[in-house]
């Protein structure tokens, strides 16, 4: 399926969605499809991707702090079984004072570690995530501190507990 | 007593454990000898690279990208350079693309030989470890000759490569390929394809079926060992690779069956070394003359990129699997506004954790080694704190002060100031 055909299919199903095709100038021209969708219709679109190609490979979540909004871009590699694959990027966003996005782990289970990473580093809450534990940050890292937010001021000294040896307890 | 007694044992492997030389923790729940659950905890050696990158300029990030991983250092800055080129619409000269192919494939050969040795080591074949690493020296010598370093050879620049491949390099590479064809590869094949002990040890351990591999987005030799014909060089029509006959290697072409176990992943690696040597030979043959950089001087790149705006994605098949870098540029900013990378080990770790359920504890080291985990590129921030009598947290500035104090004791003339350079606020 060519990128143009794919964009047509997306536009036929979702009329208000922004679809953009970019091409780079490498020796073999290569096109990518960039889709921008609001968070209410995001999950529907992801489900549609799975319908179009059941073997689509989910690769990455690029989450970012853009001032008053937190954005997340998801990359899929589609139609790899037919040789030349199609690279699709779906972007969505949520306001910073209501940082909630729907989880897609029920459609693409491999997105779970990425969602856990975004959840701890940028504070986007995933609705219905099956395993909300921390992945990278330590378990005693203070709540409500998100290291990759641009307005984050860091950990205050009184928040630090159990510093030093990991097995040292307060009571001893 | 009506009913059997059940008890589970939890065994943590890592962060530092003899079976796994890198800081990563696998919490394995056992029922007797059988694994019933595997949990992965990351973050013991996070370096905060994304935060450091947004305080640097475009060319400085190139060197930061290279230091993500020592083994696939060329892959990382190659992917980053591709992402920037796509974002700014920079055209790369054709000779530079061929040089990228040659260095990339040389790196694949040494990385795969390293992993074949590590897997042999985890099953107790230490002689194979020493001999395969000895064979690897030959590639490392050529990489040193081309780039000046054994690892981190800084081959890439945005819009091309920094160093040309000269006639003496070409002769050395062809000699090396001949040596590998005649001396090394027959022995490697004898051990990994036909040795009965190795086959008994590696067959049917750590099985990742094709369905699970797709579900968990396994990458690279891990995916191809499960029969997924996916290779970014081939699927993405990357650079000049389509002209060089690149193809996804699956174990079916060698053994006729695809089981998705550790043995199959090793077969894929052996096959890819053969394929890489063919690609290098063709690339050396077809390489055109011409310039190797789109910009004659490095500061012109920064001038051009300061005006650029937009976002770009670079993808490349590193020895371990698909590597993907994303950059976003803002007008008037010297460096990237956002840089994000994904390493192949990250999804593969979760795929292998799933595959270990139901296996024996003794298969854990070899199953983990078989995905060739590069844990240093999966972790990204290091937290520094210390406890000296009373509780105290050392910041980067404090550490720098201490360091400068020590230097001043040796040389009192030094005029350094302890300044935060890159490590972000999340560093305490």
């Amino acid at each position: 399926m060519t990128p143009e055909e794919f964009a047509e299919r997306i536009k036929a199903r979702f009329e208000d969605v922004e679809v953009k095709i970019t091409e780079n100038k490498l020796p073999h021209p290569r096109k990518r499809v960039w889709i921008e969708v609001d968070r209410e219709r995001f999950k529907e679109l992801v489900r549609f991707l799975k319908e179009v190609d059941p073997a689509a490979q989910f690769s990455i979540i690029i989450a970012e702090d853009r001032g008053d909004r937190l954005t997340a871009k998801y990359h899929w590699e589609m139609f790899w079984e037919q040789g030349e694959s199609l690279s699709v990027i779906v972007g969505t966003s949520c306001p910073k004072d209501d940082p909630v996005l729907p989880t897609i782990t029920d459609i693409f289970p491999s997105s779970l570690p990425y969602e856990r990473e975004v959840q701890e580093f940028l504070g986007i809450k995933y609705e219905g995530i099956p395993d909300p534990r921390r992945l990278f940050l330590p378990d005693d890292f203070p709540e409500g501190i998100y290291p990759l937010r641009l307005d984050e001021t860091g950990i205050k000294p009184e928040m630090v507990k159990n510093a030093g040896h990991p097995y040292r307890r307060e009571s001893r | 007593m009506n009913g059997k007694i059940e008890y589970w044992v939890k065994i943590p492997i890592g962060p530092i454990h003899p079976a796994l030389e890198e800081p990563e923790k696998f919490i394995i729940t056992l029922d007797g000898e059988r694994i019933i659950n595997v949990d992965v905890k990351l973050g013991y050696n996070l370096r905060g690279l994304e935060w450091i990158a947004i305080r640097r300029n475009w060319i400085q990030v190139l060197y930061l990208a290279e230091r993500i991983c020592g083994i696939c250092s060329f892959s990382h800055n190659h992917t980053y350079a591709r992402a920037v080129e796509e974002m700014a619409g920079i055209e790369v000269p054709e000779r530079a693309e061929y040089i990228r192919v040659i260095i990339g494939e040389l790196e694949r050969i040494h990385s795969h030989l390293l992993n074949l040795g590590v897997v042999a080591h985890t099953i107790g074949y230490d002689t194979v470890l020493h001999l395969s690493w000895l064979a690897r020296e030959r590639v490392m010598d050529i990489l040193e000759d081309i780039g000046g370093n054994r690892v981190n050879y800084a081959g890439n620049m945005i819009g091309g490569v920094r160093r040309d491949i000269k006639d003496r390099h070409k002769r050395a590479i062809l000699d090396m390929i001949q040596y590998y064809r005649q001396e090394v590869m027959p022995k490697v094949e004898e051990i990994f394809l036909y040795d009965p002990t190795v086959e008994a040890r590696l067959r049917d351990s750590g099985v990742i079926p094709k369905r699970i591999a797709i579900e968990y987005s396994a990458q690279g030799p891990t995916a191809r060992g499960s029969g997924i014909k996916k290779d970014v060089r081939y699927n993405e029509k990357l650079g000049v690779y389509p002209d060089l006959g690149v193809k996804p290697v699956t174990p079916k072409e060698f053994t006729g069956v695809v089981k998705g176990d550790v043995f199959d992943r090793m077969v894929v690696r052996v096959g890819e070394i053969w394929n890489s040597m063919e690609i290098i030979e063709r690339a050396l043959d077809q390489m055109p003359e011409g310039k190797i950089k789109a910009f004659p001087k490095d500061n012109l790149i920064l001038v051009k990129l300061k005006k650029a705006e937009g976002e770009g994605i670079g993808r490349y098949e590193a020895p371990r699997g698909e590597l993907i870098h994303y950059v976003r540029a803002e007008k008037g900013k010297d460096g990237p506004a956002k840089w994000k990378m994904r390493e192949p080990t990250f999804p593969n770790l979760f795929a292998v954790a799933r595959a270990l359920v139901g296996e024996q504890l003794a298969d854990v080291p070899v199953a983990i080694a078989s995905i060739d985990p590069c844990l240093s590129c999966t972790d990204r921030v290091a937290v520094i704190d210390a406890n000296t009598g009373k509780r105290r947290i050392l910041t980067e500035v404090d550490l720098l002060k201490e360091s400068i104090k020590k230097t001043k004791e040796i040389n009192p003339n030094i005029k350094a100031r302890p300044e935060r350079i890159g490590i972000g606020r999340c560093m305490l």
Side-chain angles (χ1 to χ4, degrees):
Chain A
M1 194 180 281
T2 63
E4 287 79 16
E5 283 170 15
F6 183 75
E8 286 305 311
R9 276 193 79 168
I10 293 277
K11 273 183 192 153
R13 176 83 179 261
F14 303 88
E15 47 302 320
D16 54 342
V17 163
E18 216 182 292
V19 184
K20 193 175 74 177
I21 297 173
T22 58
E23 188 174 351
N24 62 11
K25 291 183 183 172
L26 300 175
H28 291 271
R30 173 79 195 160
K31 286 178 177 167
R32 294 188 203 285
V33 183
W34 301 75
I35 303 169
E36 201 60 48
V37 63
D38 51 7
R39 64 173 167 179
E40 281 76 28
R41 307 201 70 184
F42 171 64
K43 198 152 179 177
E44 201 185 327
L45 201 146
V46 174
R47 218 169 256 135
F48 178 68
L49 293 183
K50 182 97 175 179
E51 272 170 35
V52 175
D53 179 17
Q57 284 257 19
F58 171 81
S59 334
I60 185 173
I61 300 179
I62 302 143
E64 207 182 333
D65 184 356
R66 299 287 292 270
D68 55 344
R69 291 188 84 77
L70 298 170
T71 61
K73 290 195 167 71
Y74 296 63
H75 180 271
W76 276 272
E77 181 172 17
M78 299 181 74
F79 314 114
W80 51 268
E81 282 162 320
Q82 303 163 11
E84 195 188 344
S85 66
L86 182 64
S87 154
V88 179
I89 298 106
V90 181
T92 184
S93 68
C94 57
K96 215 172 191 175
D97 46 6
D98 177 29
V100 181
L101 283 181
T103 179
I104 57 162
T105 43
D106 45 347
I107 308 163
F108 289 97
S110 58
S111 69
L112 177 63
Y114 304 90
E115 288 187 355
R116 283 168 71 184
E117 185 188 348
V118 171
Q119 190 161 283
E120 63 187 352
F121 278 114
L122 274 143
I124 297 179
K125 293 274 173 299
Y126 278 96
E127 230 171 18
I129 183 168
D131 182 5
R133 288 174 307 150
R134 288 210 169 104
L135 181 66
F136 281 107
L137 295 179
D139 293 332
D140 55 353
F141 197 80
E143 293 286 328
I145 298 237
Y146 304 112
L148 284 182
R149 279 201 188 178
L150 296 178
D151 55 356
E152 184 60 64
T153 52
I155 303 169
K156 291 168 189 66
E158 63 268 20
M159 286 177 169
V160 178
K161 285 176 269 176
N162 202 14
H165 197 278
Y167 301 116
R168 178 181 289 241
R169 295 270 187 281
E170 291 288 320
S171 55
R172 272 183 216 167
Chain B
M1 296 285 284
N2 52 352
K4 58 181 181 171
I5 303 164
E6 282 189 356
Y7 58 91
W8 298 338
V9 185
K10 267 195 181 178
I11 296 190
I13 293 194
I16 289 137
H17 188 278
L20 192 73
E21 290 94 348
E22 294 192 67
E24 217 81 350
K25 191 169 164 192
F26 288 82
I27 303 146
I28 293 169
T29 313
L30 282 182
D31 182 9
E33 269 293 293
R34 201 169 53 87
I35 297 166
I36 54 174
N37 191 23
V38 182
D39 194 13
V40 186
K41 175 76 185 161
L42 305 172
Y44 288 92
N45 196 13
L46 264 117
R47 290 172 284 171
L49 293 178
E50 285 163 40
W51 192 265
I52 298 171
I54 57 176
R55 284 128 189 270
R56 294 190 169 202
N57 73 28
W58 291 100
I59 291 177
Q60 286 168 334
V61 177
L62 199 66
Y63 298 100
L64 188 67
E66 183 161 41
R67 272 143 189 86
I68 292 174
C69 173
I71 305 294
C72 36
S73 58
F74 188 83
S75 311
H76 274 280
N77 64 3
H78 182 183
T79 320
Y80 168 75
R82 259 180 204 289
V84 178
E85 281 153 16
E86 186 177 313
M87 182 269 296
I90 297 168
E91 247 176 293
V92 184
E94 208 177 343
R95 187 177 172 90
E97 288 284 359
Y98 276 97
I99 294 172
R100 281 179 176 182
V101 167
I102 292 164
I103 301 182
E105 295 307 310
L106 286 174
E107 189 176 81
R108 193 180 312 276
I109 291 175
H110 95 67
S111 175
H112 282 346
L113 279 173
L114 179 136
N115 183 248
L116 291 172
V118 169
V119 167
H121 166 70
T122 54
I123 58 170
Y125 269 36
D126 271 355
T127 321
V128 180
L129 165 79
H130 295 309
L131 291 177
S132 70
W133 284 32
L134 182 69
R136 178 173 165 257
E137 286 299 307
R138 193 79 183 248
V139 198
M140 305 286 277
D141 286 346
I142 288 174
L143 287 172
E144 187 181 359
D145 200 10
I146 296 171
N149 266 331
R150 279 164 62 86
V151 290
N152 292 353
Y153 13 84
N156 275 295
M157 183 40 71
I158 295 162
V161 289
R162 289 168 62 86
R163 292 182 183 85
D164 206 352
I165 287 188
K166 302 184 184 73
D167 279 346
R168 71 185 159 95
H169 298 139
K170 196 172 164 179
R171 279 196 300 277
I173 293 170
L174 290 174
D175 274 358
M176 180 212 83
I177 289 177
Q178 202 186 10
Y179 163 70
Y180 273 41
R181 284 228 170 97
Q182 287 171 359
E183 304 280 329
V184 178
M185 291 313 288
K187 283 174 192 157
V188 166
E189 283 201 340
E190 200 184 318
I191 294 160
F192 284 96
L193 263 57
Y194 305 115
D195 189 285
T197 321
V198 171
E199 185 163 358
R201 190 67 182 74
L202 300 185
R203 261 285 176 232
D204 298 320
S205 67
V207 182
I208 305 180
K210 191 175 178 182
R211 184 180 59 81
I212 299 287
I214 292 177
E215 195 173 286
Y216 280 77
S217 295
Q219 303 291 344
T222 313
R224 291 194 283 277
S226 304
I228 296 179
K229 282 200 150 201
K230 188 158 141 348
D231 188 317
V232 175
R233 294 172 293 167
Y234 170 77
N235 289 126
E236 172 107 354
K237 280 174 79 181
L238 192 92
V240 289
Y241 272 112
D243 308 338
L244 298 170
V246 64
K247 58 179 190 300
V249 179
T250 51
K252 203 159 194 172
E253 296 141 31
F254 288 85
T255 54
V257 286
V258 179
K259 287 190 172 177
D261 49 14
V262 177
F263 187 80
D264 277 353
R265 274 166 241 157
M266 291 303 113
V267 171
V268 169
R269 290 209 168 85
V270 173
E272 281 189 9
I273 296 178
W274 283 113
N275 193 13
S276 284
M277 292 195 293
E278 275 171 31
I279 292 171
I280 293 172
E281 273 187 341
R282 272 191 216 124
L284 283 172
D285 201 36
Q286 296 177 15
M287 189 160 69
E289 292 295 322
K291 57 178 188 175
I292 56 166
K293 279 185 200 174
F295 298 94
K297 283 194 174 154
D298 289 358
N299 52 359
L300 296 177
I301 301 172
L302 290 175
V303 171
K304 182 175 167 71
L305 288 175
K306 198 161 183 174
K307 292 180 219 147
E309 201 172 25
E311 44 197 357
I313 279 185
R315 293 171 70 209
Y316 176 66
E317 184 80 13
R320 292 163 176 82
E322 180 199 330
L323 201 64
I324 173 164
H325 280 228
Y326 166 92
V327 289
R328 185 171 65 81
E330 276 173 9
K331 225 171 221 166
K333 202 168 176 295
D334 274 333
K338 172 76 185 174
W339 175 47
K340 169 85 185 164
M341 61 286 185
R342 203 290 315 271
E343 308 74 25
T345 306
F346 193 50
N348 282 351
L349 270 180
F350 293 93
V352 82
R354 168 67 182 71
L356 277 172
V357 173
E359 303 278 329
Q360 283 184 344
L361 184 63
D363 286 336
V364 169
V366 68
I368 293 173
S370 74
I371 64 161
D372 200 358
C374 178
L375 302 176
S376 71
C377 56
T378 302
D379 274 1
R380 295 182 207 111
V381 189
V383 175
I384 305 156
D385 57 6
N387 198 350
T388 50
K390 62 182 180 195
R391 206 158 282 158
R392 189 165 80 93
I393 297 155
L394 280 183
T395 61
E396 191 197 356
V397 178
D398 291 336
L399 281 174
L400 273 175
K401 264 185 200 159
E402 293 291 319
S403 167
I404 290 169
K405 208 171 94 187
K406 192 172 173 187
T407 317
K408 273 185 178 159
E409 284 170 11
I410 303 164
N411 180 7
N413 298 326
I414 192 160
K415 287 189 186 70
R417 272 188 303 138
E419 264 180 339
R420 296 164 68 112
I421 40 162
I423 304 177
R425 289 165 227 161
C426 56
M427 298 299 92
L428 300 172

